[in-house]
Structures are given as C-alpha cells and as structure tokens.
Amino acid sequence: MTTILAIAGLVIKELYRRKDFYVLLVMTVVITAVSWLMNFFGENNIVRLLKSICLMLIWISALVIAVVTTARQIPAERESRTIFPLLAKPVTRRQVLMGKFLGCWLACGIALVVFYLFFGIVTATREHLAVTELIKGFWLQWVMLAIVIGLALLGSIVFAAPSSNSTICFVVVGGILFLGGHLGQVAMHLTEPGRTIVYAVYFLIPHLEWYNQREALVNDRALAAWSYCALATAYAAVYVAALLQATWLVFRRKTLNV
Amino acid sequence: MKQATNQLLILIGLVVASFSGAAWLAPQGEAVAASEGQGSLLTLLFGEGRKVVGSYFLRQADVTFHSGYYPTIFDGAQEPTDRRYMTSTEGSPEDEQHDREMDNFFKEPPRWDLIARFGRHFMITEHTHLKEENQREILPWLKLSAELDPQNVQTYTVGAYFLRAHLHKPEQAEKFLRQGLRANPNSYEILYELGRLNLENLKNPFRARNLLGKALKCWDQEEGQKPEKERNLYTKEEIITHLALSEKEAGDIPKAIEYFEMAKKLSPNPQAIQNWIDELKHGMR
C-alpha cells in the first residue's frame, strides 16, 4: 500500500506542477464572472443561468483533467524510460497501475474540491446554499471520474498515443452521458438483430448519466437519497475493478520498449 | 540575461500584435453586423445557425420554468412547441392540457429493466412550475433567444407576460415587446400583448385601443388567408374583448358594447359576455 501511495503522490505533484488545472480554473472563473456581470431586464438576483454555466464548465474541466492526466501517465513513463528504474525496485506492474489510478483519482478530487468551492461561493452570494446536495453532487461526479480514469488508463495501454486515447475517451464518455440512458428506449423500437445488439450495449456500458446531477443542482431539486448514492458508488466500484483488471491483463505482458 | 530580454521582446511583440488585431477586427465586425442589421456579438458568432441556437434557448427557458422536468426526444412525447400554457392561468384549458401531456411523458420502465428503474432515482420526476419571483430565472434564456431568433414571436409574448404579470416590470415588458415589434411589425400577438399591457398595467386605454385595433387588422390579414379550422380564433376573441374593455375605460360605451357583441360570437362562454353587455346597457340608462 505504501508503494501505491508513493506512486499516487507523484501523480498528484504532477497535477499542481502542470498548468492544465490552473488554466481551466481561471477559464471557469473568468467566464462565470462575465456571466455574473450580465444584466437581464434589470433583475439582479438571477442565479440559475449563472449556476448552469459554472457547473457546465466544471464538468468539462473535470473531464479534461481526468482524461488528459491519465492518458499520458504510462506513455510518458515509457517514453522517458523512467518505467525501467521504477520496475527495477520492488514494485510490481499491478502496483504501478494501482498507484497511477489512485493518483489520478485523488488529483481529480483535489481539483474538483477547488471547483465546487468556487461554485458554492457563487451560489451562496445569490441564494441559500444547500450544502448536503452540493456534497452529493460532488461525490457522484468524483465517483463517475473514477470510471473515466479507469477507461483512460486502459486506453493508455491499448492505444499508441495519448492523443488518440484522449479523443476516444471523450467520444465514449460523451456518448454515454448523452445517449447511454436512452439506449433501452431506442432498442425497443428496433427489429432483430439490432434490438439485441443495442440492448447488449445498454446493459454493458457504465451508466455515467446517473452521476450527472447538474440539472438538479441548478434547479434546487433534491438529489437522490444517500442510500442510492451508495449503491451508485458500489456500481462504479465494480466497473473500476473490472477496468483495472483488464488494464493489468494487457499491461503485465506488454513490452515496455518504445 | 539576453535570453530573458528576447523573451520579453517576444511577449511585447505578441501583445502589440493581439492589440492591433483586435483594433483591426472590431470595426470590421461592427460593419458586418450593421450591414446585416444585427448588432449583437451572439448573432455574429452563431451566423446562420442562430435560429437553431435561439430555439434551444427558448426550450431552455421552458426547462427552467419546469425546474429541469422536461421530456427529451427519446421520451416518446412530443416536446411542446406551443408555449401558450406558460402564460395561461392555473386551471385554464391550456394549463390542464399541458398538465396531462407533461404528467404522462415519463412511462414506467419494464420490470426487467433494472438500469432504467434504478436510474429514475437520479432523475427529476416531479412536474412543477416556477412560482412568483423565481420566475425571473427564465428571463435570461428568453433574452438570449430573442437576440438570436428575433422572428420567434412567442419569445416576446412569454417574456413580456412574466415581466408584467409576475415581476411587476411593465416598462421592461413594453421595451421587450417594442423590440419584438421592430423585428415583426405585423405580429398581432405582440400588438395584442402591447395593448393589454397598456390597458391593464400602464393604465392608458387610448393607446391600448389603437394597439388592439391594429392587432385586429393584422389578425385579419394573417389568419384570414388560412382555412377556417386553422385560424387562431382564441386570440381574436381575446383581442376583441380587450378592445371592448379599452373602449369602456376610454368612455365610449356604445363602441364597447359593439365589440362585446362581436366577441360573444367567438366566445366559448357567451353568457359571461352577455352579462357584461347587460351591465354596460344598465349603466347607460
């Protein structure tokens, strides 16, 4: 566990040394501030548009940080050949993967805390802040990012370059977020064998759309109860475990020379 | 040291280049906007796709009005395109029709579809409408929609209704309707809303009479060409009734009775209008 935590620590240090996070944070703050200054019919307390823009930027930023940070982990180690001294120590390939995953997930968590603090401040200046709902929204998004990181880590072993891996991850995650929940309804209207294929995809993919609680947070609706959040967390844990196992199966016999 | 100076010079060069670029582009952008009769940055940004984005913003206003409870194209229900229910009173036929449609779009998933059943806990499944001052939350979407799709009359009538009836801002409502009228000079719906605003909120029955008279003419021009079944008779009756009320407020009772007689022929509840006529005739004696 100490080895995994040490590797994870290095990944977290990398996040705050690189400029991606700061650029995305500044972009979110600037765009939200510009939206703040907009005046609509002399109404000064309009908050939902502001929350909607801010949360959308947080979602985009978090996805970019998760995918881009994860996608370059293993390829960068291989390219700079630092993977060899790392594996020469008593560190197994499984520990490297676990460390990279944990590091990326914790790094995303840290970034997300900063983003949600900003969102909380923006909301609190114009209306009552529902802290519990905000924490639920944060938790669900962070859990979803674990699946995304698992997917990007598997992609970083399978695909040749981090750029292609990132692009494929964005397409897959975007596709699931926008269409994943509707595939069941689409399948019902299809004929065989299309119906079976679409149903198979529907039951196989991780349903990331459950974790997207933007609409509820923007419109002051109650989010799912904690018990359902716990079940969704367990569901995500199963997918993360499966993705990490698949990554390890590919990685354990992978030639490390570039 | 030399390297640092070089980098500083490059930075200064880039700043100068970006400032020059901005100074060169800004008048060009304004010229393009002026030549197309469009002043906003949004219009310039979205180009020909602005009507689509404008419709999306109008939809977002409706989503916000329902606090996130809204059908998608996958939910089997047709998305509402006529947003008259937004301005209808609670319990009116439009409101009841809307409630029936919206309450039924979430069909219960099959028992074996555990994904859909569990997913319901993470969705907004309660049909509500924004109340009182929270209704201001739809205004930004309507304003943005009007910027991008100025020909969509519903944007102005819905926006003006909320501004005058719920947010008590008749001056802002009038400004928004005038903006709509400039883009749609012969819209009977905008003229009717303007007339109603002048009659009920700005207490100017003379101006209301002129606006409603113009609205009636425009209705005849636009709807008169359509087959009888497709004509918007509901709005015609509303225009004539408010025209009658304007005449009454302006003191021309015989003219008011004349308009009420016209409205009676179109109304689903002619007895109520007859009562008004009787009341006016009684007052004349």
Side-chain angles (χ1 to χ4, degrees):
Chain A
M1 193 62 194
T2 320
T3 317
I4 294 170
L5 286 176
I7 297 169
L10 288 172
V11 179
I12 295 168
K13 272 183 195 155
E14 189 196 322
L15 174 85
Y16 62 77
R17 278 189 195 137
R18 291 184 67 95
K19 292 174 187 70
D20 311 20
F21 166 64
Y22 304 108
V23 169
L24 290 164
L25 181 64
V26 169
M27 185 191 76
T28 304
V29 172
V30 169
I31 296 177
T32 310
V34 171
S35 316
W36 178 293
L37 294 172
M38 284 161 89
N39 189 309
F40 298 98
F41 304 105
E43 284 286 343
N44 297 320
N45 291 319
I46 290 170
V47 68
R48 293 193 186 185
L49 176 78
L50 202 64
K51 282 162 74 179
S52 176
I53 291 171
C54 188
L55 264 185
M56 187 189 70
L57 291 167
I58 289 173
W59 265 77
I60 293 171
S61 303
L63 273 177
V64 169
I65 291 170
V67 171
V68 174
T69 308
T70 313
R72 65 169 171 246
Q73 288 303 319
I74 305 284
E77 295 271 15
R78 285 173 68 195
E79 204 163 308
S80 62
R81 296 179 175 277
T82 47
I83 191 102
F84 297 111
L86 186 66
L87 289 171
K89 291 170 188 169
V91 177
T92 62
R93 289 193 183 199
R94 191 189 281 273
Q95 283 173 325
V96 170
L97 284 181
M98 291 298 287
K100 292 289 182 190
F101 169 79
L102 192 65
C104 290
W105 191 50
L106 290 175
C108 284
I110 293 165
L112 216 53
V113 166
V114 178
F115 278 118
Y116 268 81
L117 269 176
F118 174 66
F119 177 73
I121 293 165
V122 167
T123 309
T125 52
R126 289 204 173 171
E127 66 173 17
H128 168 71
L129 180 67
V131 181
T132 319
E133 301 306 296
L134 195 69
I135 293 169
K136 271 187 207 171
F138 161 80
W139 175 255
L140 287 171
Q141 188 176 354
W142 195 28
V143 166
M144 187 219 71
L145 288 177
I147 303 177
V148 175
I149 289 166
L151 204 67
L153 203 60
L154 175 63
S156 72
I157 309 292
V158 174
F159 301 110
S163 54
S164 54
N165 179 23
S166 301
T167 310
I168 291 165
C169 280
F170 282 128
V171 171
V172 170
V173 171
I176 295 175
L177 280 172
F178 288 111
L179 298 171
H182 306 294
L183 286 179
Q185 286 155 298
V186 173
M188 267 195 278
H189 298 102
L190 294 177
T191 51
E192 293 296 349
R195 175 183 281 206
T196 310
I197 293 167
V198 175
Y199 264 131
V201 173
Y202 174 64
F203 284 107
L204 207 65
I205 56 169
H207 283 271
L208 303 179
E209 74 279 0
W210 296 347
Y211 306 89
N212 180 2
Q213 293 298 303
R214 279 191 303 139
E215 208 70 73
L217 281 174
V218 167
N219 292 297
D220 293 330
R221 296 279 198 159
L223 272 69
W226 278 114
S227 53
Y228 294 115
C229 292
L231 281 172
T233 307
Y235 173 86
V238 171
Y239 272 95
V240 169
L243 285 166
L244 286 177
Q245 184 64 20
T247 311
W248 177 72
L249 285 172
V250 182
F251 188 54
R252 67 182 176 152
R253 301 213 182 278
K254 184 103 179 167
T255 323
L256 296 175
N257 288 320
V258 183
Chain B
M1 183 67 190
K2 198 179 172 187
Q3 201 185 0
T5 316
N6 284 344
Q7 283 181 353
L8 188 68
L9 283 172
I10 290 169
L11 184 69
I12 293 168
L14 286 170
V15 171
V16 170
S18 56
F19 180 78
S20 311
W24 180 68
L25 279 171
Q28 295 220 353
E30 279 169 21
V32 171
S35 69
E36 290 178 2
Q38 306 144 358
S40 102
L41 176 72
L42 281 172
T43 319
L44 200 66
L45 201 68
F46 289 108
E48 285 306 306
R50 63 183 186 272
K51 274 187 191 294
V52 178
V53 185
S55 301
Y56 170 75
F57 284 155
L58 184 58
R59 181 188 181 275
Q60 275 305 110
D62 211 358
V63 174
T64 306
F65 183 61
H66 287 95
S67 296
Y69 177 86
Y70 212 72
T72 66
I73 50 166
F74 299 102
D75 288 313
Q78 288 282 321
E79 267 194 45
T81 47
D82 184 356
R83 293 187 165 83
R84 208 179 296 159
Y85 62 85
M86 288 177 89
T87 56
S88 64
T89 47
E90 215 164 299
S92 66
E94 295 87 23
D95 186 55
E96 282 174 5
Q97 165 78 9
H98 165 71
D99 282 347
R100 270 195 300 277
E101 284 170 5
M102 290 294 273
D103 289 342
N104 291 333
F105 83 76
F106 259 145
K107 299 216 170 42
E108 192 65 23
R111 286 182 69 83
W112 50 266
D113 191 350
L114 296 176
I115 298 283
R117 293 180 85 82
F118 184 64
R120 282 293 157 93
H121 298 293
F122 298 90
M123 291 163 84
I124 298 167
T125 50
E126 189 193 357
H127 182 196
T128 57
H129 289 170
L130 286 179
K131 296 272 180 241
E132 294 308 318
E133 60 185 28
N134 276 340
Q135 290 172 340
R136 64 173 171 241
E137 299 294 348
I138 70 166
L139 296 177
W141 299 112
L142 294 172
K143 179 90 176 164
L144 293 170
S145 175
E147 290 278 339
L148 291 165
D149 187 7
Q151 266 70 48
N152 195 338
V153 170
Q154 268 188 359
T155 311
Y156 304 102
T157 52
V158 170
Y161 168 78
F162 282 106
L163 281 165
R164 79 172 168 81
H166 295 282
L167 301 165
H168 314 293
K169 291 199 164 188
E171 291 83 13
Q172 291 284 356
E174 186 173 25
K175 218 169 135 186
F176 194 42
L177 285 170
R178 293 271 172 206
Q179 181 191 334
L181 198 61
R182 277 194 294 277
N184 309 277
N186 295 317
S187 164
Y188 65 84
E189 284 154 304
I190 294 178
L191 285 162
Y192 163 63
E193 270 298 326
L194 263 172
R196 213 173 149 181
L197 176 84
N198 274 279
L199 178 68
E200 293 172 5
N201 301 85
L202 303 175
K203 307 291 176 201
N204 190 340
F206 300 101
R207 200 192 283 172
R209 184 170 61 182
N210 293 339
L211 288 160
L212 291 164
K214 174 93 192 288
L216 193 58
K217 272 185 197 158
C218 290
W219 187 97
D220 285 334
Q221 279 169 9
E222 195 180 321
E223 298 285 317
Q225 297 163 355
K226 292 181 185 172
E228 203 157 331
K229 279 184 182 171
E230 290 173 25
R231 288 179 192 167
N232 184 358
L233 293 172
Y234 171 79
T235 308
K236 185 177 185 180
E237 188 233 319
E238 287 281 300
I239 294 170
I240 296 172
T241 306
H242 284 87
L243 205 43
L245 291 169
S246 305
E247 294 292 1
K248 183 183 157 235
E249 290 297 313
D252 193 344
I253 304 296
K255 196 81 182 159
I257 293 171
E258 193 184 311
Y259 280 125
F260 273 132
E261 292 287 357
M262 277 169 73
K264 200 169 80 173
K265 290 174 193 159
L266 299 164
S267 174
N269 187 6
Q271 189 52 49
I273 296 187
Q274 185 57 50
N275 291 346
W276 277 348
I277 295 169
D278 294 342
E279 203 178 294
L280 284 176
K281 281 182 178 168
H282 183 73
M284 279 171 77
R285 280 187 212 132

